[in-house]
Amino acid sequence: MTEFFVDIAPVRFEGPDSANPLAFRHYDPDEMVMGKRMEDHLRFAVAYWHSFAWEGGDPFGGQTLIRPWQPQDDMARARVKADAAFEMFDILGQPYFCWHDADIRPEAATFAESLRNFEEIIDYFLEKMENRKTRLLWGTANMFSHRRWMAGAATNPDPDVFAYAAATVKACMDATHRMGGQNYVLWGGREGYETLLNTDMGRELDHMGRFLNMVVDYKHKIGFKGAILVEPKPQEPSKHQYDFDAATCIGFLRKYGLEGEVKLNLEQGHAILAGHSFEHEIAVAAAEGMLGSIDMNRNDYQSGWDTDQFPNNVPEVALCYYHILRAGGFRTGGTNFDAKLRRQSLDAFDLIAAHVGGMDICARGLKAAAAMIEDGGLEAALRDRYAGWDSDHGQGVLESDLDSLFARVLAGEIDPQPRSGRQEMLENHVNRFV
């Protein structure tokens, strides 16, 4: 036991009537949903950075979260942090976790020293994983916090920074591979611009495309069987990020010949920042066969930035899992809680309670989504709305040409009559399940 999670017992499923704040009311990992265990559907993961590296600061105030492993500046404290992390995974029964390299090892004076720290903590992780079920959902490189990344990583105007980024990603991919990671993620927080006055956008996009091709080539070289994922976000910390949203990323991947190699890691909060709903982003990726994994959280709708709060809206979450289930569910991906405590939530109890609540919300959403699919009402409404396209007439329209269709409309042979979209009825239908 560490000094942090004292007197907190492993969380158990106690059912919806439980009054225990540290019990699952809806998340029963062994419950069967559409023929699969709930745990295997949701594939939950803890985010190492928000749970163990974040100190509670904001633009107007400093650290509020005091932890036994702070300051995070030497390997002894990195091991204490790892001890606490795996203790929390045990308490929650977590099947997966995720990390950035900078979350788990202290930064040193040189790349070689930082790499030694990184490899040492990876060895420590592997020791801890020997007798646990917890595995790595994905690893990634933090290429946005250190000042070297202030003008980007793959899109930096300095080729030496591009090379440093390549070395960093190689090390992180090697570690992810060693740990049996299911995916490797790239999020380009600084891959964008602050002003176009000093930005050659075409060159930067080409360099980012080249970098991602290098990543894919290295994946195949080392025999990594997991998925390569990119994560959309429109802005913050950059004024504009090149991976703005799912559609933008898909266009980028196609431009650089990567559509068969790379999928998307989608985040609720990033969707909101881009002016979309989360189910929109999931539906876009699923329609193109590029849905990889999700980061589950929420934003405060009164704030204009990425607040990374734990999810608490069952109707929103249900629609997200509805589209995930329609797409066949997760393969290598899962549900990573890219969410952090509020800066006034100081205690170990709060960290466990936040994850318990988030897991319960996702479980309720998953069960509602499965019930909607099994009911079939939404699918039936879709079939009815698009039935005309399945007829001989509809297929004939698709196979025709402008001249022929013009002649048929002019002759009055085709005279469309609008039909109700039944939106309110469908919204009422969804509310039966949530």
Side-chain angles (χ1 to χ4, degrees):
M1 292 287 292
T2 65
E3 297 177 0
F4 192 57
F5 292 107
V6 176
D7 298 328
I8 298 180
V11 179
R12 306 297 184 200
F13 173 73
E14 296 183 6
D17 296 329
S18 175
N20 180 356
L22 296 187
F24 296 125
R25 296 171 179 80
H26 301 279
Y27 176 62
D28 178 357
D30 294 320
E31 180 178 344
M32 298 302 290
V33 178
M34 293 178 62
K36 184 188 291 188
R37 294 174 66 250
M38 186 181 288
E39 181 180 81
D40 298 332
H41 271 297
L42 292 167
R43 293 164 61 87
F44 284 133
V46 169
Y48 209 95
W49 51 100
H50 283 326
S51 293
F52 303 104
W54 189 60
E55 298 181 343
D58 67 17
F60 298 93
Q63 178 179 359
T64 62
L65 307 182
I66 308 302
R67 304 298 191 229
W69 50 85
Q70 296 164 345
Q72 303 173 61
D73 58 0
D74 64 38
M75 288 304 298
R77 292 189 180 95
R79 284 188 288 274
V80 171
K81 188 198 300 187
D83 293 340
F86 278 88
E87 188 171 328
M88 191 175 94
F89 304 158
D90 292 343
I91 290 169
L92 292 169
Q94 280 292 318
Y96 295 102
F97 71 109
C98 305
W99 48 252
H100 300 86
D101 56 340
D103 309 325
I104 63 177
R105 57 97 178 113
E107 184 84 15
T110 67
F111 179 86
E113 293 174 60
S114 293
L115 180 61
R116 281 195 294 274
N117 291 342
F118 181 56
E119 291 175 340
E120 181 179 329
I121 204 67
I122 293 298
D123 289 340
Y124 197 59
F125 282 178
L126 288 169
E127 290 176 17
K128 290 184 166 295
M129 291 166 66
E130 284 182 0
N131 59 355
R132 288 177 167 89
K133 75 172 189 176
T134 304
R135 293 294 175 259
L136 180 67
L137 186 65
W138 49 261
T140 189
N142 178 328
M143 298 191 294
F144 47 88
S145 294
H146 193 281
R147 69 191 296 271
R148 77 173 64 88
W149 312 119
M150 65 181 185
T155 61
N156 200 288
D158 184 348
D160 286 353
V161 177
F162 183 105
Y164 201 104
T168 301
V169 169
K170 177 195 179 300
C172 290
M173 290 182 71
D174 287 342
T176 300
H177 187 35
R178 281 185 64 206
M179 294 182 67
Q182 301 280 293
N183 310 271
Y184 184 81
V185 171
L186 297 104
W187 173 63
R190 304 286 180 185
E191 311 293 25
Y193 62 80
E194 302 300 329
T195 174
L196 286 171
L197 296 175
N198 63 5
T199 302
D200 185 338
M201 187 185 296
R203 175 174 286 195
E204 291 195 0
L205 287 169
D206 285 345
H207 291 174
M208 192 161 73
R210 174 63 187 136
F211 190 93
L212 195 50
N213 269 284
M214 289 180 178
V215 169
V216 169
D217 289 345
Y218 191 66
K219 166 192 167 171
H220 293 303
K221 180 178 180 179
I222 63 176
F224 178 55
K225 302 303 181 186
I228 302 297
L229 308 177
V230 295
E231 182 172 330
K233 188 179 183 183
Q235 76 272 341
E236 192 197 17
S238 300
K239 173 184 176 179
H240 173 85
Q241 288 175 213
Y242 296 136
D243 50 7
F244 189 92
D245 60 7
T248 304
C249 287
I250 290 167
F252 172 86
L253 294 173
R254 285 184 173 144
K255 178 179 179 181
Y256 294 100
L258 293 161
E259 66 272 22
E261 295 281 1
V262 180
K263 297 184 185 298
L264 303 184
N265 183 55
L266 301 169
E267 180 177 319
Q268 163 88 347
H270 296 179
I272 302 305
L273 287 179
H276 304 310
S277 65
F278 197 21
E279 65 263 29
H280 165 88
E281 291 289 87
I282 292 170
V284 168
E288 301 298 330
M290 293 189 185
L291 176 61
S293 193
I294 65 169
D295 281 1
M296 181 59 78
N297 56 25
R298 65 184 166 96
N299 278 1
D300 187 320
Y301 289 109
Q302 292 180 317
S303 300
W305 63 89
D306 197 12
T307 55
D308 285 332
Q309 294 168 251
F310 281 85
N312 71 352
N313 187 318
V314 175
E316 283 187 353
V317 171
L319 290 172
C320 296
Y321 284 116
Y322 178 78
H323 288 285
I324 290 169
L325 291 177
R326 284 189 72 213
F330 294 123
R331 293 170 178 81
T332 62
T335 303
N336 173 47
F337 286 112
D338 191 354
K340 61 191 177 187
L341 294 177
R342 300 303 86 195
R343 66 196 304 268
Q344 298 179 55
S345 299
L346 305 179
D347 301 332
F349 175 95
D350 299 317
L351 192 55
I352 301 299
H355 282 86
V356 168
M359 293 164 77
D360 263 350
I361 290 292
C362 291
R364 291 178 66 189
L366 176 75
K367 288 189 281 188
M372 285 189 277
I373 287 177
E374 290 169 341
D375 169 80
L378 294 178
E379 290 293 334
L382 275 183
R383 287 194 301 271
D384 180 65
R385 190 172 192 210
Y386 290 92
W389 288 106
D390 296 324
S391 67
D392 290 341
H393 168 68
Q395 292 302 301
V397 168
L398 282 178
E399 295 167 2
S400 190
D401 56 71
L402 293 184
D403 281 335
S404 300
L405 293 175
F406 174 84
R408 293 177 67 188
V409 172
L410 184 64
E413 180 184 342
I414 296 178
D415 183 20
Q417 300 299 314
R419 297 176 57 198
S420 173
R422 301 277 192 260
Q423 179 174 334
E424 291 77 12
M425 181 196 77
L426 294 172
E427 290 171 345
N428 294 343
H429 183 86
V430 169
N431 284 334
R432 289 167 46 194
F433 300 91
V434 298

